[in-house]
Amino acid sequence: MPSKELRIDYIAPYDLNFHSESGGVRRSFWLKGRPVVLDLEQHAFNGPIRAHAHSNESLDDVEADLIRAARHLISADDNLADFHAAIVADERMARLATQLPGLKPFRTPDLWTTLLRSLVSQQISGSAARSIRDKLAIRFGKRVWAGEELVPVLPDAPTVANASVEDLKSAGLSTRKAEYANGIARALLDGVIAPEILSAMSPDEAITRLAELRGIGIWTAECTLLFGLGDRDVLPADDLGVRKAIARLYGMEAMPSPAEVRRLGEQWNGWKSYATVYLWRSLELPENVTV
């Protein structure tokens, strides 16, 4: 099967281990109409990152696109020094940031895969979501050999747009989610939510545009900007994890309201997405480390 080995440069510091499972990271997505499985490895803090891309189709003509996708995935061009400078006045957030050196958001290289994964995952367990994603990939998507492993890749937007609701239900989606998937796929193909259009909007405008689609609420739209489009200034103020982390970090007796989260987030202007990622990650630290 076609494959490419790439070396991915980035602005240090960076630690892939924040996102690693068993020593590496794997993501599947669509690039220029072909399914891609991308394996990433970094064996030391700030060490070189090597990427192995696999597909069922030739990758020779999309090597530059692969590199851009991999760089987007690891937030390679974001400078953590700028993030630290932006939050310096907030002593607690600044202290938290120093405790998580090299952490950057880990993104998905294509908007469609981001949205479909989010839709599938709504209101079900992680294991159930994985099962449905695998069924969708086997029934409608592609499977790509990555080394000795056959990796399922979710179906692309044209396939889902042309599938019937009954067909999508056969892969485990509910009737409502199947209808939503059809609608989202068509909106993408019609250009209503084309990445270049959303990227040209302000975050609030893009969130509103996405949330107009059935099946995409405000939280999903916010996370799509953060992890799909790579916007650096998105704060999901209603998110329970964000509110819990803020209460813990700032020693609050009760979780702040979404409005209070937004007011606090004004201290992180330009880098709210990064603050969000650090807040989520802080919940995995011992409590005495974060206060």
Side-chain angles (χ1 to χ4, degrees):
M1 287 296 180
S3 63
K4 283 281 182 186
E5 182 172 347
L6 311 166
R7 179 163 174 168
I8 308 302
D9 295 324
Y10 58 87
I11 298 175
Y14 188 73
D15 192 349
L16 185 66
N17 286 325
F18 281 114
H19 315 289
S20 175
E21 298 174 1
S22 303
V25 179
R26 169 173 288 167
R27 286 293 183 272
S28 60
F29 54 95
W30 287 85
L31 180 71
K32 300 291 185 179
R34 66 203 77 188
V36 175
V37 174
L38 190 65
D39 290 326
L40 298 171
E41 294 181 350
Q42 183 189 40
H43 297 295
F45 178 72
N46 283 344
I49 293 179
R50 298 200 176 276
H52 300 265
H54 314 271
S55 183
N56 297 335
E57 304 174 35
S58 174
L59 298 171
D60 290 340
D61 61 327
V62 294
E63 183 168 340
D65 298 290
L66 277 171
I67 292 173
R68 280 193 292 271
R71 292 178 63 80
H72 175 79
L73 192 151
I74 68 169
S75 306
D77 294 317
D78 291 350
N79 192 335
L80 284 173
D82 294 336
F83 169 55
H84 285 264
I87 61 172
V88 68
D90 182 348
E91 293 183 5
R92 300 223 175 189
M93 178 60 71
R95 189 182 312 133
L96 173 61
T98 63
Q99 292 160 0
L100 297 166
L103 172 61
K104 293 184 182 182
F106 200 74
R107 301 164 176 159
T108 301
D110 79 283
L111 177 64
W112 165 248
T113 299
T114 305
L115 288 168
L116 185 56
R117 287 177 64 92
S118 297
L119 177 65
V120 169
S121 299
Q122 288 175 5
Q123 298 179 323
I124 59 176
S125 69
S127 60
R130 284 191 294 274
S131 176
I132 293 173
R133 289 198 299 265
D134 286 347
K135 290 178 183 177
L136 279 170
I138 293 168
R139 176 78 168 79
F140 299 103
K142 300 289 185 180
R143 285 186 284 178
V144 173
W145 283 104
E148 298 182 354
E149 186 175 353
L150 194 57
V151 180
V153 180
L154 285 169
D156 60 6
T159 300
V160 173
N162 292 322
S164 70
V165 169
E166 291 303 315
D167 282 343
L168 293 173
K169 286 173 62 179
S170 72
L173 289 178
S174 66
T175 300
R176 186 166 293 179
K177 284 188 178 180
E179 292 171 348
Y180 293 163
N182 272 155
I184 294 166
R186 293 192 184 105
L188 183 65
L189 296 174
D190 292 343
V192 175
I193 55 168
E196 59 273 17
I197 291 176
L198 294 176
S199 296
M201 296 177 171
S202 71
D204 287 344
E205 290 171 335
I207 289 166
T208 299
R209 172 68 63 87
L210 285 167
E212 288 172 349
L213 300 175
R214 294 177 67 221
I216 303 297
I218 295 296
W219 182 87
T220 298
E222 290 168 336
C223 290
T224 298
L225 259 67
L226 200 165
F227 293 113
L229 296 178
D231 195 296
R232 291 199 301 250
D233 204 29
V234 179
L235 176 61
D238 292 279
D239 182 83
L240 184 62
V242 168
R243 295 167 62 201
K244 181 179 178 181
I246 286 175
R248 184 183 182 197
L249 182 63
Y250 295 88
M252 300 177 179
E253 293 185 0
M255 286 194 299
S257 68
E260 290 170 328
V261 171
R262 293 186 186 96
R263 283 195 295 272
L264 182 64
E266 292 175 3
Q267 301 177 92
W268 319 319
N269 279 341
W271 292 88
K272 295 190 190 81
S273 298
Y274 270 68
T276 297
V277 169
Y278 278 68
L279 286 166
W280 278 328
R281 182 66 65 161
S282 74
L283 295 174
E284 301 174 17
L285 298 173
E287 189 163 2
N288 61 349
V289 172
T290 62
V291 296

